[in-house]
Amino acid sequence: MQTLYLIRGTSGSGKSTLAFEMAQAMDIDFVEADAFCYNAAGDYAWEAKNLRDYHKSCFDYAEYRLKNQASVIVSNTSTTNKEVNRYKRLAEKYGAKFVCIVVENRHGGKNVHDVPEKVVQKQRENIKNSLEV
């Protein structure tokens, strides 16, 4: 069955690793907003002013895959219900199953983009609050 998998968690929790491994095992695509943060030289160049564009490109790619009857894995922090529900509605729009996976940082991994601990803590709080619905 066509499925949209949403992998969510704090920066450094292992979302990308899990998404990559799942995508390989299931032979489906995965996408994350970070994939749209590279400049023409191929260097990671995240800029806060472009955050909305990164996420729009990620969402649009997920929609493209679903529109073409393919399953897709999306890996983003998605710390709020608003962010989760956006992808849930997208899956419903195309009659796809929606699976949401929360990844915890139990391995003590460091986020590769040096997101400040204060921001990661806010992500944790948002995820916790979104799970208490």
Side-chain angles (χ1 to χ4, degrees):
M1 172 178 209
Q2 183 183 12
T3 305
L4 188 159
Y5 298 90
L6 178 62
I7 300 176
R8 60 191 287 237
T10 62
S11 299
S13 63
K15 298 177 306 296
S16 297
T17 301
L18 178 60
F20 177 77
E21 290 174 0
M22 284 177 60
Q24 281 192 318
M26 299 183 330
D27 194 28
I28 62 176
D29 282 352
F30 87 94
V31 64
E32 51 194 6
D34 276 349
F36 301 96
C37 299
Y38 290 85
N39 63 24
D43 299 318
Y44 186 77
W46 184 90
E47 294 184 47
K49 68 179 183 174
N50 296 328
L51 190 58
R52 182 181 300 265
D53 292 336
Y54 303 147
H55 281 279
K56 181 179 182 332
S57 294
C58 180
F59 185 88
D60 290 349
Y61 184 79
E63 183 166 26
Y64 167 79
R65 297 300 298 158
L66 292 174
K67 189 184 293 187
N68 287 285
Q69 289 79 46
S71 294
V72 65
I73 300 168
V74 176
S75 170
N76 286 322
T77 54
S78 301
T79 62
T80 67
N81 284 324
K82 179 180 177 183
E83 293 164 313
V84 172
N85 289 334
R86 185 169 185 235
Y87 281 100
K88 184 177 181 184
R89 285 190 306 274
L90 179 63
E92 290 169 352
K93 177 179 177 179
Y94 291 97
K97 182 177 178 181
F98 178 73
V99 176
C100 184
I101 301 167
V102 178
V103 180
E104 296 180 339
N105 184 359
R106 293 186 180 228
H107 63 286
K110 181 172 177 4
N111 69 78
V112 296
H113 302 302
D114 295 321
V115 176
E117 182 56 33
K118 183 170 84 171
V119 174
V120 174
Q121 184 57 38
K122 180 66 175 164
Q123 292 172 349
R124 281 188 200 104
E125 291 170 17
N126 287 344
I127 288 173
K128 181 180 181 257
N129 292 337
S130 74
L131 296 174
E132 294 176 352
V133 175

